[in-house]
């Protein structure tokens, strides 16, 4: 790819704002979540196989989704602020987000509650799921829909973002360096809120661990994506000597794709260790949840940095391939439908589900008690 005019060094400003490899990352994220649900419902994540710990941690796909949202959705706002151009209109932005999410979501919820679920729906289910209130009203009890806890979080972020973006450009006369400083302050504030929410969830009984699947506890993941968007948007617009040293270091590391992805693999391996929590379906301690949460965030940054801050090399070509990008384009549908269909077919075929301690459903066709599938936050949903 040829560097556009205005680029500096080997890290061009992508004026078109297109990052085709990120569609491939969406595919990896969606099918990673699918794989971890298959692993836990079959018991494969809980056996002694060498791949079991990795299969158990593929809920990491949710982290990728949140960072991707932070990057892709925030980048047009920060690019407009740096270029002193008109930012996306708030009304149009929100309408486009809602149209992208809600019709497909409502269809999946209605079909699941009416046909696919083995958990008899209640009037409360018909009210809270369509309104995306299930995580706030303790109504996320249907095992076929527990993966949908992420959508209230996403929607909350969409509602927050236009106001945050308006704050970073509240002074039209400010220079670009002031915009960068204000954006960094915003990102730091979001991370601070996430840390406070984490502490409150584990130490304040009135808050409780259910709040870990609300937006405040996950703001840092979005903030990391926004940081990548800021660094990316600054390329070619602000001289390197007027930017924080972090930006130059980030671009340098991002240019070494192999190194970044090797470090990401190492960080992900740490998440498979007991220090990041048990692989069983039990509520992790505060330290375990925190360690896994922050390791997931670091791993996602290392994976995405070469694809967002540098020109993709050969290692990223597979993610940009048309078949992989197609899987990314349908990733939202995969995310919505994989769990209800998985549990429905498991029930219809008579395969027993894992008890959450060990075993494989291949060994028995005897029905097993309902089990909540594994995904960040699922261990607390419905309990």
């Amino acid at each position: 790819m040829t560097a556009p005019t205005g680029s500096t060094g080997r890290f061009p400003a992508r004026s078109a704002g297109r990052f085709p490899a990120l569609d491939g990352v969406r595919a990896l994220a969606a099918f990673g979540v699918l794989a971890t649900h298959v692993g836990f419902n079959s018991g494969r994540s809980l056996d002694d196989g060498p791949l079991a710990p990795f299969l158990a941690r593929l809920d990491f796909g949710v982290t990728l989704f949140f960072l991707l949202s932070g990057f892709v959705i925030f980048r047009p706002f920060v690019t407009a602020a740096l270029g002193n151009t008109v930012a996306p209109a708030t009304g149009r932005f929100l309408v486009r987000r809602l149209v992208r999410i809600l019709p497909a979501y409502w269809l999946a919820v209605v079909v699941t509650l009416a046909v696919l679920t083995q958990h008899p729906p209640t009037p409360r289910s018909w009210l809270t799921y369509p309104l995306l209130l299930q995580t706030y009203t303790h109504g996320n009890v249907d095992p076929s829909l527990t993966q949908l806890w992420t959508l209230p979080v996403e929607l909350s972020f969409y509602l927050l973002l236009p106001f945050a973006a308006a704050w970073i450009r509240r002074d039209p006369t400010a220079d670009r360096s002031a915009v960068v400083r204000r954006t960094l302050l915003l990102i730091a504030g979001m991370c601070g809120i996430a840390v406070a929410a984490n502490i409150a969830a584990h130490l304040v009984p009135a808050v409780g661990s259910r709040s870990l699947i609300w937006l405040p506890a996950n703001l840092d993941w979005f903030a990391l994506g926004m940081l990548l968007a800021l660094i990316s948007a600054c390329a070619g617009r602000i001289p390197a000597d007027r930017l924080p040293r972090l930006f130059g270091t980030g671009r340098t590391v991002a240019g070494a794709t192999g190194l970044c992805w090797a470090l990401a693999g190492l960080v992900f391996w740490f998440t498979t260790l007991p220090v990041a929590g048990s692989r069983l379906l039990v509520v992790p301690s505060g330290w375990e949840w925190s360690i896994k949460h922050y390791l997931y965030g670091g791993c996602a940054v290392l994976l995405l940095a070469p694809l967002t801050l540098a020109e993709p090399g050969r290692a990223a070509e597979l993610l940009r391939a048309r078949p992989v990008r197609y899987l990314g384009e349908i990733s939202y549908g995969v995310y919505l439908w994989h769990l209800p269909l998985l549990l429905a077919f498991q029930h219809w075929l008579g395969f027993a589900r894992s008890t959450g301690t060990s075993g494989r459903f291949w060994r028995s066709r005897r029905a097993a008690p309902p089990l909540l599938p594994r995904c960040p936050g699922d261990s607390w949903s419905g309990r």
Side-chain angles (χ1 to χ4, degrees):
M1 182 182 296
T2 304
T5 304
S7 299
T8 57
R10 56 180 297 195
F11 304 102
R14 303 194 191 205
S15 56
R18 288 294 302 156
F19 299 83
L22 297 187
D23 288 332
V25 176
R26 289 190 186 92
L28 293 178
F31 285 93
V33 173
L34 183 155
T36 204
H37 282 144
V38 170
F40 276 101
N41 282 281
S42 66
R44 291 285 181 176
S45 297
L46 308 173
D47 61 24
D48 297 326
L51 296 181
F54 297 92
L55 186 60
R57 300 302 196 215
L58 288 179
D59 56 356
F60 166 68
V62 171
T63 312
L64 284 176
F65 277 132
F66 284 175
L67 264 82
L68 284 170
S69 290
F71 177 84
V72 173
I73 297 176
F74 180 63
R75 194 174 188 274
F77 287 99
V78 72
T79 300
L82 291 170
N84 198 25
T85 59
V86 177
T90 299
R92 177 178 294 182
F93 164 77
L94 292 176
V95 168
R96 290 182 63 183
R97 291 289 99 197
L98 293 176
V99 169
R100 179 176 175 83
I101 287 180
L102 290 181
Y105 170 81
W106 285 332
L107 177 63
V109 166
V110 169
V111 172
T112 299
L113 292 178
V115 179
L116 298 177
T117 185
Q118 286 79 61
H119 186 89
T122 64
R124 184 183 187 182
S125 300
W126 286 105
L127 176 65
T128 57
Y129 279 108
L131 294 178
L132 288 163
L133 297 175
Q134 68 271 23
T135 58
Y136 306 114
T137 62
H138 300 173
N140 194 29
V141 297
D142 193 317
S144 297
L145 295 173
T146 52
Q147 87 282 17
L148 301 184
W149 72 269
T150 62
L151 295 183
V153 177
E154 287 271 4
L155 183 60
S156 300
F157 175 67
Y158 298 157
L159 295 174
L160 170 68
L161 188 59
F163 300 99
W167 180 79
I168 67 173
R169 57 181 299 162
R170 71 179 189 272
D171 181 4
T173 63
D175 62 15
R176 291 172 176 176
S177 297
V179 172
V180 171
R181 290 193 297 270
R182 196 172 294 131
T183 306
L184 288 174
L185 182 61
L186 170 67
I187 290 170
M190 292 172 64
C191 291
I193 292 172
V195 171
N198 176 14
I199 294 172
H202 290 107
L203 297 182
V204 181
V207 178
S209 59
R210 292 180 188 275
S211 65
L212 294 173
I213 55 174
W214 299 347
L215 176 64
N218 296 280
L219 271 175
D220 51 348
W221 284 350
F222 290 105
L224 290 174
M226 292 167 62
L227 178 61
L228 292 176
L230 173 62
I231 299 174
S232 168
C234 285
R237 293 183 173 88
I238 303 179
D241 58 0
R242 296 179 58 191
L243 291 171
R245 185 174 299 178
L246 168 68
F247 287 28
T249 302
R251 292 191 184 115
T252 300
V253 175
T257 303
L259 173 62
C260 275
W261 287 358
L263 290 174
L266 179 62
V267 173
F268 187 75
W269 173 76
F270 273 110
T271 70
T272 69
L273 303 179
V275 69
S278 171
R279 286 186 282 134
L280 305 181
L281 300 186
V282 296
V283 179
S285 70
W287 280 112
E288 291 170 340
W289 186 92
S290 299
I291 289 171
K292 187 173 79 166
H293 180 87
Y294 298 126
L295 287 176
Y296 274 7
C299 183
V301 169
L302 288 167
L303 280 174
L304 293 179
L307 305 176
T308 57
L309 304 184
E311 282 297 284
R314 292 183 178 179
E317 286 300 315
L318 179 60
L319 294 174
R320 303 172 63 184
R322 182 57 194 164
V324 180
R325 291 177 60 190
Y326 172 75
L327 294 177
E329 291 168 1
I330 65 171
S331 61
Y332 182 48
V334 172
Y335 189 80
L336 290 175
W337 289 99
H338 77 275
L339 188 53
L341 290 175
L342 167 66
L343 299 187
F345 277 106
Q346 206 166 342
H347 173 73
W348 295 336
L349 296 174
F351 289 124
R353 298 170 63 188
S354 167
T355 62
T357 56
S358 64
R360 304 186 180 104
F361 73 83
W362 315 111
R363 295 180 177 177
S364 173
R365 295 175 67 89
R366 179 175 56 84
L371 174 70
L372 294 180
R374 182 73 164 190
C375 206
D378 286 0
S379 298
W380 306 288
S381 302
R383 292 193 178 189

